[in-house]
């Protein structure tokens, strides 16, 4: 049940007077035109006069019809990227990234905003809908949450972030549900939507990693925690994704999921544990245990090392771990639990 006293400030917050002042970075590809008409790229007017940076592949701009969209506005900035498969990292001078993947784009965006001397910015995926949700704490209103615009959602998010001076934060996603327990929680795994204090990350030398054997989102959060930062999740706000079934995510590719799960598990060195889901396509996923260390970490590390040392692949190691792990009492946890 909603703890009204902890959310009373929402009744006094004049949401319609709040403004987005942090720029919004959006990586985009294929324009998603064949899938949905609600892709945020085709509804940027919903973000009003907020500064927007779109990161596109140069060879995809005309091919996917971005040139036909109404993007020629003072607040919309187009940043064109090219893929250099011979490189292993992003290159700001050449505007290149090693592969056609959002994991590389995220590091490029982070470094690009740093180069622009922009200390606070949103990083959002292009499959966001133009509406959000906020918990309704009015004692005379029985609703747990109500719909607001995406602009209002981001404006409230930025207001809370600035109030607390966080280094990294997110809101509930992708199901658009608000958690009624506390206004926000700390030490989270942040995925898909970010508000980033670029100055803090530059000072602590924490960047998205340009590696295809890691889960980009998870490792960024773990590196933030290890550097002394605390990623926060605002429980009373939520965004909606156009796609919620995972079919359009790179991580829905099972082979890539296996590889990045094993790589991330080893990288986290006990800060993430395996979770088994009997009824899901992605049966073996990761869940945060930081600041503790998973007591079974070295048992599974030995299994992985034995497979790799005998010539096996990370995918083989994943399969071996899947055979070994026993399902917990409940298998209802979602992919890369955000706890």
């Amino acid at each position: 049940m909603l703890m009204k006293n902890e959310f009373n400030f929402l009744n006094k917050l004049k949401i319609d007077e709040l403004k987005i002042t942090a720029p919004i970075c959006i990586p985009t590809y294929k324009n998603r035109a064949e899938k949905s008409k609600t892709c945020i790229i085709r509804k940027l007017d919903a973000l009003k006069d907020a500064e927007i940076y779109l990161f596109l592949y140069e060879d995809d701009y005309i091919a996917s019809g971005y040139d036909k969209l109404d993007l020629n506005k003072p607040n919309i900035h187009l940043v064109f990227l090219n893929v250099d498969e011979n490189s292993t990292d992003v290159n700001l001078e050449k505007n290149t990234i090693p592969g056609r993947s959002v994991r590389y784009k995220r590091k490029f965006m982070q470094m690009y905003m740093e180069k622009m001397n922009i200390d606070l910015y949103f990083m959002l995926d292009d499959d966001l809908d133009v509406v959000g949700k906020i918990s309704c704490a009015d004692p005379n209103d029985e609703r747990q949450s109500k719909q607001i615009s995406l602009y209002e959602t981001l404006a409230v998010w930025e207001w809370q972030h600035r109030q607390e001076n966080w280094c990294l934060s997110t809101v509930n996603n992708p199901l658009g549900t608000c958690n009624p327990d506390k206004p926000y929680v700390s030490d989270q795994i942040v995925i898909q939507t970010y508000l980033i204090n670029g100055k803090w990350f530059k000072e602590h030398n924490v960047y998205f990693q340009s590696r295809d054997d890691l889960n980009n989102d998870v490792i960024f959060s773990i590196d933030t925690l290890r550097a002394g930062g605390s990623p926060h999740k605002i429980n009373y706000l939520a965004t909606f994704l156009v796609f919620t079934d995972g079919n359009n995510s790179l991580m829905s590719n099972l082979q890539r999921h296996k590889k990045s799960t094993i790589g991330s598990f080893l990288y986290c060195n006990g800060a993430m544990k395996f979770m088994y889901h009997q009824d899901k396509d992605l049966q073996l996923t990761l869940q945060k245990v930081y600041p503790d260390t998973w007591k079974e970490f070295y048992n599974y590390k030995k299994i992985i090392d034995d497979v790799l040392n005998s010539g096996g692949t990370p995918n083989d190691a994943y399969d071996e771990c899947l055979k070994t792990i026993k399902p917990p009492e409940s298998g209802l946890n979602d992919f890369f639990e955000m706890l």
Side-chain angles (χ1 to χ4, degrees), residues 42-318:
R42 292 189 295 283
K43 294 192 174 184
L44 290 178
D45 286 344
L47 296 175
K48 301 181 182 181
D49 59 351
E51 293 293 317
I52 300 169
Y53 289 81
L54 299 182
F55 293 80
L56 314 94
Y57 298 113
E58 188 166 9
D59 61 4
D60 188 51
Y61 178 67
I62 294 176
S64 290
Y66 288 100
D67 59 319
K68 296 180 174 61
L69 302 181
D70 188 18
L71 302 178
N72 187 24
K73 296 182 179 180
N75 66 313
I76 300 177
H77 313 279
L78 305 183
V79 182
F80 293 103
L81 304 176
N82 290 291
V83 175
D84 180 2
E85 295 180 349
N86 294 320
S87 67
T88 58
D89 207 347
V90 304
N91 188 317
L92 257 64
E93 299 302 321
K94 297 181 179 180
N95 273 33
T96 60
I97 55 179
R100 207 175 289 266
S101 170
V102 71
R103 60 171 55 88
Y104 305 128
K105 277 188 177 180
R106 284 191 177 131
K107 182 172 184 180
F108 186 94
M109 288 188 290
Q110 186 183 6
M111 297 181 68
Y112 184 90
M113 299 309 278
E114 181 180 301
K115 181 180 179 181
M116 296 283 289
N117 294 314
I118 296 174
D119 288 338
L120 185 68
Y121 52 91
F122 289 96
M123 195 180 290
L124 310 176
D125 287 351
D126 67 350
D127 53 356
L128 273 185
D129 207 343
V130 295
V131 296
K133 270 190 176 181
I134 188 169
S135 293
C136 184
D138 186 344
N140 299 314
D141 195 326
E142 294 300 321
R143 293 176 298 174
Q144 180 169 300
S145 61
K146 59 185 177 183
Q147 184 170 295
I148 58 177
S149 70
L150 177 62
Y151 185 94
E152 291 172 325
T153 304
L154 299 183
V156 175
W157 177 2
E158 181 182 339
W159 170 83
Q160 182 74 80
H161 185 108
R162 288 186 182 276
Q163 288 282 311
E164 305 297 336
N165 194 28
W166 290 327
C167 65
L168 176 64
S169 64
T170 191
V171 296
N172 285 285
N173 60 41
L175 300 178
T177 56
C178 295
N179 184 330
D181 295 331
K182 297 179 181 179
Y184 54 79
V185 286
S186 59
D187 297 346
Q188 299 298 290
I189 298 297
V190 177
I191 67 171
Q192 297 174 319
T193 58
Y194 314 80
L195 184 50
I196 297 173
N197 181 331
K199 184 178 181 180
W200 185 94
F201 282 93
K202 180 180 180 180
E203 290 174 349
H204 291 81
N205 195 33
V206 175
Y207 294 89
F208 283 97
Q209 298 212 32
S210 187
R211 288 172 50 178
D212 63 3
D213 64 330
L214 299 176
N215 182 283
N216 190 266
D217 309 54
V218 171
I219 299 307
F220 186 60
S221 296
I222 291 295
D223 284 345
T224 301
L225 288 164
R226 286 174 169 168
S230 178
H232 282 74
K233 182 177 73 173
I234 300 175
N235 286 330
Y236 63 84
L237 290 173
T239 54
F240 292 90
L241 296 185
V242 175
F243 309 108
T244 59
D245 59 3
N247 289 336
N248 294 281
S249 168
L250 286 174
M251 291 307 299
S252 66
N253 181 304
L254 183 56
Q255 299 308 310
R256 181 173 284 119
H257 167 72
K258 290 181 177 182
K259 181 179 181 179
S260 66
T261 298
I262 294 300
S264 299
F265 179 78
L266 293 175
Y267 181 93
C268 290
N269 198 36
M272 302 287 287
K273 66 178 180 180
F274 283 129
M275 294 295 294
Y276 173 75
H277 314 282
Q278 184 175 2
D279 299 324
K280 292 183 178 292
D281 292 334
L282 305 182
Q283 290 190 307
L284 196 63
T285 62
L286 297 178
Q287 181 183 34
K288 179 179 70 68
V289 295
Y290 185 91
D292 298 324
T293 300
W294 191 35
K295 62 182 180 181
E296 296 185 49
F297 170 74
Y298 287 104
N299 294 334
Y300 282 93
K301 183 179 185 303
K302 184 179 185 309
I303 293 173
I304 295 169
D305 288 342
D306 287 346
V307 171
L308 298 180
N309 290 336
S310 64
T313 66
N315 290 11
D316 297 327
Y318 177 100

